[in-house]
Amino acid sequence: MWNPAKSLVWRLAILILGGAGLVLAAVLVSSTIAQQRQLVKQQQQQGDSLTLAAVNRIDALLGRVVSTANSVSVCMKKGLPTAQDAEKLLADLMRKSPEINGISIAAVHGTTDWAPGVISAYRDNGTVRTRVAPRSQSHQIEDWYYLPTHLGRNVWVEPYFDHTSGRSSVTYSVPVKGADGTIIGVVTCELSLEGIREMLDSLDLGEAGIATLVSAQGVYISHPIRAFEMRETVYSVAESMGDVGKPLESLIALSRKMLSGEAGMSLYRRSPKDTPSYVYYRTVPATGWACSVTIPEQQILAPLRRQNTLNLLIGLSGMVLLLGAALAVAFSLTRPLHELAGAAGRLATGDFDAPLPKVRHNDEIGRLTSSFARMREELHSYIEELTTTTAAKEKIASELAIAHQIQLGIVPKLFPPFPERGDLDLFATLEPAREVGGDLYDFTLLDEDHLYVAIGDVSGKGVPASLLMAVGKTLLKSTIQAVRDPARAMTMVNDELSADNESCMFITAFCGILNLRTGQLTFANAGHNPPLIISQSGDTRFLTRRPGPALGAMCSVRYQNMDVELENGELLLLYTDGVTEAMNAKGELFAEDRMAAVAAANPKANTQQLIRTIVGAVTAHADGFEQSDDITMLAVRSTTCRAIEAPQPPSRQADSTIELNNKREELNNLVEWLEGEGEKLGIPAHTVMALNLALEEWFINIVSYAFVDHNLHRIPIRMWRDDNTILIQIEDEGQPFDPCAQLAPDTDAPLEHRRIGGLGIHFIRKTMDLMHYRRERNRNILTLAKKF
Amino acid sequence: MLLSVTTALILPCISVKAADTATPRPLRLVMHWDHQSQFAGYYMALDKGFYAEEGLDVSIIRGGPDVRSCETVAEGGAEFCVSMLSTAIEKRALGLPMVGIAQVVNRCNFQVVAWKKPDAVKGVVIQRPDQLSGRKVTVWEEDFRLPYEAFFESTGASPKLVPQYYTLSLFMNRGVDACATMHYNEYHWLLQHGVQEEDITVFPLWQYGVDLPEDGIYTTEEFLRENPALCRAFVRATLRGWEYARDYREETLDSVMQRVNEAKLPTNRPHMSWMLNVILESIFPPTEDSWTFGKLNKRQYERASRILLRHGSLKSVPAYDSFIIMEEAADVESR
């Protein structure tokens, strides 16, 4: 989302406009304040002088009235003989003073000789006329007469509106005193206020400015609102403007100030919220009237407002132009940036072809664009390289994964492998290195007494190694199952592998068949590390007999079987060089000694515990250093196959002895001897029968297979009875043959496939309570025992 | 209020009856002074058609310094007039056949206003009427002089009395120390011409026992005798006009100002507003036992008479029963 506040363009524009606006505002404000002061000052001087001029003119007019009345008064004092004289005097004065509206003389009754009461001169359409009113009391109640006579002094009567003439006037009254001080009459001089009104109206006060004249009692003599004149007073107007029963205080205060006789200026606001007006006021000295000029501040400041409006418009237009210019510059600066940002955004999504802005100038932005283009190219080539490398790595990784799968998939992994065999404890482990080493192990029960174990290490790494390992393992197993002879199997496998071994890969291997009854291990070694044997007491020994060459290394090698007797409970440990050559960071090997020491320290441990312990020791030794070879071990321990000690014939002379030749015909002698001796020794008939069958079988076996020559050989048979056990020992000088090592025949297999002799030996094993074979002094010695 | 409502409800029935009688005879009512709020009720009775509703064809004649209302009626220039009670008593005593048929203004509005500090130099502060002794005081002439004479006599003041005419100019020029004023008129005029309340002391006459009822409606004995129903209808309509003036003061002021403007009188609306408010307070009783609206009872009459007998030049006064016939007002009261 594009945010204007974050756009460089707008920030730039706002910055420029804000700065310019501030400057403009500062200029406007300061000039306004200065001009305002100037204007107000000018207006004050102007208002002051206007008021003063108006008051002076009014005063001059009034002064003429006063002097006219006074001169009449003087004349009257001197004495006016007739009414005609008086009329003439008044008419003359009127003609001399055109501003005077009328002059009257009112005589106090009895003080003059005139019959009439009031003599007046007045204007009638510009013509001066005189009038003589008859004597009456009515004028005595009029202020012009009443006031001077009661006050005894000259007096300005309050202005009034004359309905007959339709004009407002003001009268000056002078009491005329006789020689004795008594008032003999009153002289009045009347001035029309029209002239004053017109003069005030003609003042140049602008549109909203007003000039007013109020009497000493606050009555409006002249006001732009004509209806106010002679009817409203400043106080009544204050009442109208104020609330009910509460006249407008501000106006009353102003009025009292105006009527106090001072001259001055007030800034008047009707209410605090109203716009103010400047009121200039001055008192007319003769009458105490107050003349005022009121100018609203708005009017004074109107030209300033107009100028300000104009300034503001010019300023704003300038700002708009400035904004345009600022935006143009800002856009020209930011357009390439914007395009660059877009290109960078597309770059982020993998688009390397987004167009870049053209480099127009070699300014910062131009250089940025060039740099960006360069960066993009480099990035592009780098990514291509990376892609290739990654693909290769992935390939390797997938190969490794396949190798792992092959390796791990091919070795038996279910432990314990023979849960029904309490006498057999076997455990194996294969911990592949990161780069698969091609180790293998294998085991299987050939029959219930014979266990096949093998371990191997393929030279080389990776998939080829694991493939060869798979081939080697499979070949070994299938061959050993067929021939039941480690040496022969190895020889055959070697021939197979070396026949077409272009890659020159080979396998060091160890394989053996463990007779679970006797503990005899028949094995062949093809260049593999010597297995370790650990006794229950913690003694260890390596099977360091000279090994043959590795499988596949060279053809036509004949491997030799070797035998070793495992004592009951002794443990056979097969391992690969991944264990002994495990290295730590310093390059130190784990070594056979340490392995043997670890094993010796745990003689009672079962196979799994022992292997875990050794693996733990290896891991501790490596201390995080990555191993380059697989760590593979196989441990086996047989515990029950020799539960009965190899029977030792009693040291005494045999109870019965017979020596037979290796002739089938001797069989009858054997039967005769056994039945006869059995009767003598008190052996039950069915036991004799079983013994008979077993002996017959073994005897025929010896006669048939033991001797490769055709010479006559002696076969001694001895018999002992111990309580209820019959012990029989048979010796021959034939080639070695261990019936115990023979696998149980496959009784389910077709008869022709069964191996010769197999069934007989099986029969002996089943019928005898014990069958023990040993070879001493180049003689096969078979011991049979039968209880009854 | 209840009174005015009931009046408004009942009057139309009466007016129908009155209108049936005949073509109405023109009736003239003459005031005793220039148009001003003092007569607002009469204007409203006319302007709002209350007289017409009674079947009366009334015209109002202005008063003024040149008009003497009782004489105008007595000489046949009008059928009804508005007059001060004291004036009417005097006229009747002098032989004019006046009878009062309604008493509109029941409270006395006469006052004396004195400068609180009359002497420029001496520090006298006028606070009591007797302090006016020896000082010049303007009071009105003729019948308006009576209440002041009574006031000064009862308060033991003996000022030098100077005649007072239409203006208070002598007082304003400090030619005298006190002057006569009406509360509803001149007192406020003073305030409107720059006099400040704190500069004057006011003595309302009623506070000193001179409690003379003022405006009433009068006609001649003969006219009343020949047209009793008409007189009653006239009074009813007039009092209704006053009730209207009380209830609709701004509208009433409009009517007053219209007449004032037509007569080009030098007054203004705030002054007329003051006058209307004060006169209404003098017409409608503030409490029930103050007086009866539109009516003058015998006790009030006799008290006024005593004041006039004691302080005036009258030797005798007319008897209440023959002079004040106020059944019409009683009508209003009973409703």
Side-chain angles (χ1 to χ4, degrees), chain A residues 140-143 146-147 150-151 153 155-156 158 161 163 215-219 230-237 239-240 244 256, chain B residues 136 138 162-167 169-170 172-173 175 188-189 191-194 196 257 260-261 263-270:
Chain A
Q140 293 183 7
I141 66 169
E142 303 284 349
D143 271 353
Y146 173 75
L147 272 182
H150 279 90
L151 291 170
R153 57 174 167 86
V155 62
W156 283 98
E158 276 288 290
F161 186 76
H163 293 297
S215 78
Q217 292 180 5
V219 179
M230 303 304 167
R231 300 182 63 181
E232 298 280 352
T233 72
V234 288
Y235 308 103
S236 72
V237 170
E239 274 185 88
S240 302
V244 177
R256 294 210 189 281
Chain B
K136 281 185 182 174
T138 58
V162 176
Q164 177 174 316
Y165 302 108
Y166 313 124
T167 70
S169 53
L170 204 52
M172 290 296 281
N173 277 288
H188 186 251
W189 186 94
L191 299 185
Q192 276 202 338
H193 287 73
Q196 301 189 50
M257 288 312 291
V260 165
N261 291 337
K264 296 180 177 168
L265 295 172
T267 187
N268 52 64
R269 190 180 177 102

Coordinates of all heavy atoms in Angstrom, one line a residue, chain A residues 140-143 146-147 150-151 153 155-156 158 161 163 215-219 230-237 239-240 244 256, chain B residues 136 138 162-167 169-170 172-173 175 188-189 191-194 196 257 260-261 263-270:
Chain A
Q140 N -45.2 81.3 30.3 CA -44.5 81.2 31.5 C -44.3 79.7 31.9 O -43.4 79.5 32.7 CB -45.4 81.9 32.6 CG -45.4 83.4 32.4 CD -46.1 84.1 33.6 OE1 -46.5 83.5 34.5 NE2 -46.4 85.4 33.4
I141 N -45.1 78.9 31.3 CA -44.8 77.5 31.6 C -43.8 76.9 30.7 O -43.4 75.7 30.9 CB -46.1 76.6 31.6 CG1 -46.7 76.5 30.2 CG2 -47.1 77.2 32.6 CD1 -47.8 75.5 30.1
E142 N -43.4 77.6 29.7 CA -42.4 77.1 28.8 C -41.0 77.2 29.4 O -40.7 78.2 30.1 CB -42.4 77.8 27.4 CG -43.7 77.8 26.7 CD -44.1 76.5 26.1 OE1 -43.2 75.7 26.0 OE2 -45.2 76.3 25.7
D143 N -40.1 76.2 29.1 CA -38.8 76.2 29.7 C -38.0 77.4 29.3 O -37.2 77.9 30.1 CB -38.0 74.9 29.2 CG -38.3 73.8 30.1 OD1 -38.9 74.0 31.2 OD2 -37.8 72.6 29.8
Y146 N -39.4 79.9 31.8 CA -39.5 79.3 33.1 C -38.1 79.2 33.7 O -37.8 79.6 34.8 CB -40.2 78.0 33.0 CG -40.3 77.1 34.2 CD1 -41.2 77.4 35.3 CD2 -39.6 75.9 34.3 CE1 -41.3 76.6 36.4 CE2 -39.7 75.1 35.4 CZ -40.5 75.4 36.4 OH -40.6 74.6 37.5
L147 N -37.2 78.6 32.9 CA -35.9 78.3 33.4 C -35.1 79.5 33.8 O -34.6 79.7 34.9 CB -35.1 77.4 32.4 CG -35.3 75.9 32.6 CD1 -34.4 75.2 31.6 CD2 -34.9 75.4 34.0
H150 N -36.5 81.4 36.8 CA -36.3 80.7 38.1 C -34.8 80.6 38.4 O -34.4 80.6 39.6 CB -37.0 79.3 38.1 CG -38.4 79.5 38.3 ND1 -39.4 79.6 37.3 CD2 -39.1 79.5 39.5 CE1 -40.6 79.7 37.8 NE2 -40.5 79.6 39.2
L151 N -34.0 80.3 37.4 CA -32.6 80.1 37.7 C -31.8 81.5 37.8 O -30.8 81.6 38.5 CB -31.9 79.3 36.6 CG -32.3 77.9 36.5 CD1 -31.7 77.2 35.2 CD2 -31.8 77.1 37.7
R153 N -30.3 83.1 35.5 CA -29.1 83.1 34.7 C -29.4 82.7 33.3 O -30.4 82.1 33.0 CB -28.0 82.2 35.3 CG -28.4 80.8 35.5 CD -27.2 79.9 36.0 NE -27.6 78.6 36.4 CZ -27.8 77.6 35.6 NH1 -27.7 77.7 34.3 NH2 -28.2 76.4 36.1
V155 N -29.4 80.5 30.1 CA -29.5 79.0 30.1 C -29.7 78.5 28.7 O -30.4 79.2 27.9 CB -30.5 78.6 31.1 CG1 -31.9 79.1 30.7 CG2 -30.6 77.1 31.2
W156 N -29.1 77.4 28.4 CA -29.4 76.7 27.2 C -30.5 75.7 27.5 O -30.4 74.8 28.3 CB -28.2 75.9 26.7 CG -27.2 76.8 26.0 CD1 -26.0 77.3 26.5 CD2 -27.2 77.2 24.6 NE1 -25.3 78.0 25.6 CE2 -26.1 78.0 24.4 CE3 -28.1 77.1 23.6 CZ2 -25.8 78.6 23.1 CZ3 -27.9 77.7 22.4 CH2 -26.7 78.4 22.1
E158 N -33.0 72.7 26.8 CA -32.8 71.4 26.1 C -33.3 71.5 24.7 O -34.4 72.1 24.5 CB -33.5 70.3 26.9 CG -32.7 69.7 28.0 CD -31.5 68.8 27.5 OE1 -31.8 67.7 26.9 OE2 -30.4 69.3 27.6
F161 N -38.0 69.4 19.4 CA -38.4 69.2 18.0 C -39.7 70.0 17.8 O -40.6 69.8 18.5 CB -38.7 67.7 17.7 CG -39.0 67.4 16.3 CD1 -38.0 67.4 15.3 CD2 -40.3 67.2 15.9 CE1 -38.2 67.1 14.0 CE2 -40.6 66.9 14.5 CZ -39.5 66.9 13.6
H163 N -42.8 70.7 15.9 CA -43.6 69.9 15.0 C -44.1 70.8 13.8 O -44.3 70.4 12.7 CB -44.8 69.3 15.7 CG -44.4 68.2 16.6 ND1 -43.8 67.1 16.2 CD2 -44.5 68.1 18.0 CE1 -43.5 66.3 17.2 NE2 -44.0 66.9 18.3
S215 N -27.3 65.7 23.9 CA -27.4 66.9 24.8 C -26.8 66.5 26.1 O -26.4 65.4 26.4 CB -28.9 67.2 25.0 OG -29.5 66.3 25.9
A216 N -26.7 67.5 27.0 CA -26.1 67.3 28.3 C -26.9 66.2 29.1 O -26.4 65.5 30.0 CB -26.1 68.6 29.1
Q217 N -28.2 66.1 28.8 CA -29.0 65.1 29.5 C -29.0 63.7 28.7 O -29.7 62.8 29.1 CB -30.5 65.6 29.6 CG -30.6 66.7 30.5 CD -32.0 67.2 30.7 OE1 -32.9 66.7 30.1 NE2 -32.2 68.3 31.4
G218 N -28.2 63.7 27.7 CA -28.1 62.4 27.0 C -29.0 62.2 25.9 O -29.1 61.1 25.3
V219 N -29.8 63.2 25.5 CA -30.8 63.0 24.5 C -30.1 63.2 23.1 O -29.2 64.1 23.0 CB -31.9 64.1 24.6 CG1 -32.9 64.0 23.4 CG2 -32.6 64.0 25.9
M230 N -34.2 63.4 19.6 CA -35.1 64.0 20.5 C -36.0 63.1 21.3 O -36.9 63.4 22.0 CB -36.0 65.1 19.8 CG -35.2 66.2 19.1 SD -34.1 67.0 20.3 CE -33.0 67.8 19.1
R231 N -35.9 61.8 21.0 CA -36.8 60.8 21.6 C -36.0 59.8 22.4 O -36.3 59.5 23.6 CB -37.5 60.0 20.5 CG -38.4 60.9 19.7 CD -39.2 60.1 18.7 NE -40.1 59.2 19.4 CZ -40.9 58.4 18.7 NH1 -40.8 58.4 17.4 NH2 -41.7 57.7 19.4
E232 N -34.9 59.4 21.9 CA -34.1 58.4 22.6 C -32.9 59.1 23.3 O -32.5 60.2 22.8 CB -33.5 57.4 21.6 CG -34.5 56.5 20.9 CD -35.1 55.4 21.7 OE1 -34.6 55.1 22.9 OE2 -36.0 54.7 21.3
T233 N -32.5 58.6 24.4 CA -31.4 59.1 25.1 C -30.3 57.9 25.1 O -30.7 56.8 24.8 CB -31.6 59.5 26.5 OG1 -31.8 58.3 27.3 CG2 -32.9 60.4 26.6
V234 N -29.1 58.3 25.4 CA -28.1 57.2 25.4 C -28.5 56.1 26.4 O -28.2 55.0 26.2 CB -26.7 57.8 25.8 CG1 -26.1 58.6 24.6 CG2 -26.7 58.6 27.0
Y235 N -29.3 56.6 27.5 CA -29.7 55.6 28.5 C -30.8 54.7 28.0 O -30.9 53.5 28.3 CB -30.0 56.4 29.8 CG -28.9 57.3 30.2 CD1 -29.0 58.7 30.0 CD2 -27.8 56.8 30.8 CE1 -28.0 59.5 30.4 CE2 -26.7 57.7 31.2 CZ -26.9 59.1 30.9 OH -25.9 59.9 31.3
S236 N -31.7 55.4 27.3 CA -32.8 54.5 26.8 C -32.3 53.5 25.7 O -32.8 52.4 25.7 CB -33.9 55.4 26.2 OG -33.5 56.0 24.9
V237 N -31.3 54.0 24.9 CA -30.8 53.0 24.0 C -30.1 51.9 24.7 O -30.2 50.7 24.3 CB -29.8 53.7 23.0 CG1 -29.0 52.7 22.2 CG2 -30.6 54.7 22.1
E239 N -31.0 50.8 27.6 CA -32.0 49.9 28.1 C -32.5 49.0 27.0 O -32.7 47.8 27.2 CB -33.2 50.8 28.5 CG -33.1 51.3 29.9 CD -34.4 52.0 30.3 OE1 -35.3 51.3 30.8 OE2 -34.5 53.2 30.1
S240 N -32.7 49.5 25.7 CA -33.2 48.7 24.6 C -32.2 47.6 24.3 O -32.6 46.5 24.0 CB -33.4 49.6 23.4 OG -34.3 50.6 23.6
V244 N -33.8 42.7 30.0 CA -35.0 43.3 30.7 C -34.5 43.8 32.1 O -33.9 43.0 32.8 CB -36.1 42.3 30.8 CG1 -37.3 42.9 31.6 CG2 -36.6 41.9 29.5
R256 N -21.5 58.1 30.1 CA -21.2 58.9 31.3 C -19.8 59.5 31.1 O -19.5 60.7 31.4 CB -21.2 58.1 32.5 CG -22.6 57.6 32.9 CD -22.8 57.4 34.4 NE -24.0 56.7 34.7 CZ -25.2 57.3 34.6 NH1 -25.3 58.6 34.3 NH2 -26.3 56.6 34.9
Chain B
K136 N -36.2 74.7 47.9 CA -37.1 74.8 46.8 C -37.5 73.4 46.2 O -36.6 72.6 46.0 CB -36.5 75.6 45.7 CG -36.5 77.1 45.9 CD -35.9 77.8 44.6 CE -35.8 79.3 44.8 NZ -35.1 79.9 43.6
T138 N -40.3 71.7 43.3 CA -41.3 72.0 42.3 C -42.4 70.9 42.4 O -42.1 69.7 42.6 CB -40.8 71.9 40.9 OG1 -40.1 70.7 40.7 CG2 -39.8 73.1 40.6
V162 N -42.4 75.6 44.2 CA -42.2 76.3 42.9 C -43.1 75.5 41.9 O -43.1 74.3 41.9 CB -40.8 76.3 42.4 CG1 -40.6 76.9 41.1 CG2 -39.9 76.9 43.4
P163 N -43.9 76.2 41.1 CA -44.8 75.5 40.2 C -43.9 74.6 39.2 O -42.9 75.0 38.7 CB -45.5 76.6 39.4 CG -44.8 77.8 39.7 CD -44.1 77.7 41.0
Q164 N -44.5 73.5 39.0 CA -43.8 72.5 38.0 C -44.7 72.3 36.9 O -45.9 72.1 37.0 CB -43.6 71.2 38.8 CG -42.9 70.1 37.9 CD -42.6 68.9 38.7 OE1 -42.0 69.0 39.8 NE2 -42.9 67.7 38.2
Y165 N -44.2 72.5 35.6 CA -45.0 72.3 34.5 C -44.7 71.0 33.8 O -44.7 69.9 34.4 CB -44.9 73.5 33.6 CG -45.3 74.8 34.3 CD1 -44.3 75.7 34.7 CD2 -46.6 75.0 34.6 CE1 -44.7 76.9 35.3 CE2 -47.0 76.1 35.3 CZ -46.0 77.1 35.7 OH -46.4 78.2 36.4
Y166 N -44.4 71.0 32.5 CA -44.3 69.8 31.8 C -42.9 69.1 31.9 O -42.8 68.0 31.6 CB -44.6 69.9 30.3 CG -45.9 70.8 30.1 CD1 -45.9 71.9 29.4 CD2 -47.1 70.3 30.8 CE1 -47.0 72.6 29.2 CE2 -48.2 71.1 30.6 CZ -48.2 72.2 29.8 OH -49.3 73.0 29.7
T167 N -41.9 69.9 32.3 CA -40.6 69.3 32.3 C -40.0 69.4 33.7 O -40.5 70.1 34.6 CB -39.6 70.1 31.3 OG1 -39.4 71.3 31.9 CG2 -40.2 70.2 30.0
S169 N -37.0 70.4 34.0 CA -35.7 71.1 33.6 C -35.1 71.9 34.8 O -33.9 71.9 34.9 CB -35.9 72.0 32.4 OG -37.0 72.8 32.7
L170 N -36.0 72.4 35.6 CA -35.5 73.2 36.7 C -34.7 72.3 37.7 O -33.7 72.6 38.2 CB -36.6 73.9 37.4 CG -36.3 75.2 38.2 CD1 -35.5 76.2 37.4 CD2 -37.5 75.8 38.7
M172 N -33.4 69.4 36.9 CA -32.2 68.9 36.2 C -31.1 70.0 36.2 O -30.0 69.6 36.3 CB -32.6 68.6 34.8 CG -33.4 67.3 34.6 SD -32.6 65.8 35.2 CE -31.6 65.5 33.8
N173 N -31.5 71.3 36.2 CA -30.5 72.3 36.2 C -30.2 72.7 37.7 O -29.5 73.7 37.9 CB -31.1 73.5 35.5 CG -30.8 73.4 34.0 OD1 -29.7 73.5 33.5 ND2 -31.9 73.2 33.2
G175 N -32.0 73.9 39.8 CA -32.6 75.2 40.2 C -33.5 74.9 41.5 O -33.8 75.8 42.2
H188 N -38.7 57.6 36.0 CA -37.9 56.8 35.0 C -37.3 57.8 33.9 O -36.2 57.6 33.4 CB -38.8 55.8 34.3 CG -38.0 54.9 33.3 ND1 -38.1 55.0 32.0 CD2 -37.0 53.9 33.6 CE1 -37.3 54.1 31.4 NE2 -36.6 53.5 32.4
W189 N -38.0 58.9 33.7 CA -37.5 59.9 32.7 C -36.2 60.4 33.3 O -35.2 60.6 32.5 CB -38.5 61.0 32.6 CG -38.2 62.1 31.6 CD1 -38.5 62.1 30.3 CD2 -37.3 63.2 31.8 NE1 -38.0 63.2 29.7 CE2 -37.2 63.9 30.6 CE3 -36.6 63.8 32.9 CZ2 -36.5 65.1 30.4 CZ3 -35.9 64.9 32.8 CH2 -35.8 65.6 31.5
L191 N -34.1 58.9 35.2 CA -33.0 57.9 35.0 C -32.6 57.8 33.5 O -31.4 57.6 33.2 CB -33.5 56.5 35.4 CG -34.0 56.3 36.8 CD1 -34.3 54.9 37.1 CD2 -32.8 56.7 37.8
Q192 N -33.5 58.1 32.6 CA -33.2 58.1 31.2 C -32.4 59.3 30.7 O -32.0 59.4 29.6 CB -34.5 57.9 30.3 CG -34.9 56.5 30.2 CD -35.8 56.3 29.0 OE1 -36.4 57.3 28.5 NE2 -35.9 55.1 28.5
H193 N -32.4 60.3 31.6 CA -31.7 61.5 31.2 C -30.4 61.8 32.1 O -30.0 62.9 32.3 CB -32.6 62.7 31.3 CG -33.6 62.7 30.1 ND1 -34.6 61.8 30.1 CD2 -33.6 63.4 29.0 CE1 -35.3 61.9 28.9 NE2 -34.7 62.9 28.2
G194 N -29.9 60.7 32.5 CA -28.5 60.7 33.1 C -28.5 60.8 34.6 O -27.5 60.9 35.2
Q196 N -28.6 59.4 38.2 CA -28.3 58.0 38.7 C -29.0 57.8 40.0 O -29.1 58.7 40.9 CB -26.8 57.9 38.9 CG -26.0 58.1 37.6 CD -24.6 57.7 37.7 OE1 -24.2 56.7 38.2 NE2 -23.7 58.6 37.2
M257 N -46.8 52.4 21.3 CA -45.7 53.1 20.5 C -46.3 53.7 19.2 O -45.9 54.7 18.7 CB -44.5 52.2 20.2 CG -43.7 52.0 21.4 SD -43.2 53.4 22.4 CE -42.1 54.2 21.2
V260 N -47.9 56.8 20.1 CA -46.9 57.8 20.5 C -46.2 58.3 19.2 O -46.0 59.6 19.1 CB -45.8 57.1 21.4 CG1 -44.6 57.9 21.5 CG2 -46.4 56.8 22.8
N261 N -45.9 57.5 18.3 CA -45.2 57.9 17.1 C -46.1 58.8 16.2 O -45.7 59.8 15.6 CB -44.8 56.7 16.3 CG -43.7 55.9 17.0 OD1 -42.9 56.5 17.8 ND2 -43.5 54.6 16.7
A263 N -48.4 60.7 17.3 CA -48.5 62.0 17.9 C -47.1 62.7 18.0 O -47.0 63.8 18.5 CB -49.0 61.8 19.4
K264 N -46.1 62.0 17.5 CA -44.7 62.6 17.5 C -44.3 63.0 18.9 O -43.7 64.1 19.1 CB -44.6 63.7 16.5 CG -44.8 63.2 15.1 CD -44.7 64.4 14.1 CE -44.9 63.8 12.7 NZ -45.0 64.9 11.7
L265 N -44.6 62.2 19.9 CA -44.2 62.5 21.2 C -42.8 62.2 21.5 O -42.3 61.1 21.0 CB -45.1 61.8 22.2 CG -46.6 62.1 22.1 CD1 -47.5 61.2 22.9 CD2 -46.8 63.6 22.6
P266 N -42.1 63.0 22.2 CA -40.6 62.8 22.4 C -40.4 61.7 23.5 O -39.9 62.0 24.6 CB -40.1 64.1 22.9 CG -41.3 64.8 23.5 CD -42.5 64.3 22.9
T267 N -40.8 60.5 23.2 CA -40.5 59.5 24.2 C -40.1 58.2 23.5 O -40.0 58.2 22.3 CB -41.8 59.2 25.1 OG1 -41.5 58.3 26.1 CG2 -42.9 58.5 24.2
N268 N -39.7 57.2 24.3 CA -39.2 56.0 23.6 C -39.7 54.7 24.2 O -40.4 54.8 25.3 CB -37.6 56.0 23.7 CG -37.2 56.2 25.2 OD1 -37.5 55.4 26.0 ND2 -36.6 57.4 25.5
R269 N -39.5 53.7 23.5 CA -40.1 52.4 23.9 C -39.7 51.9 25.3 O -40.5 51.5 26.1 CB -39.8 51.3 22.9 CG -40.6 50.1 23.0 CD -40.3 49.0 22.0 NE -41.0 47.8 22.2 CZ -42.1 47.4 21.5 NH1 -42.6 48.2 20.6 NH2 -42.7 46.3 21.8
P270 N -38.4 52.0 25.6 CA -38.0 51.5 27.0 C -38.8 52.3 28.1 O -39.2 51.7 29.1 CB -36.5 51.8 27.1 CG -36.1 51.8 25.7 CD -37.2 52.3 24.8

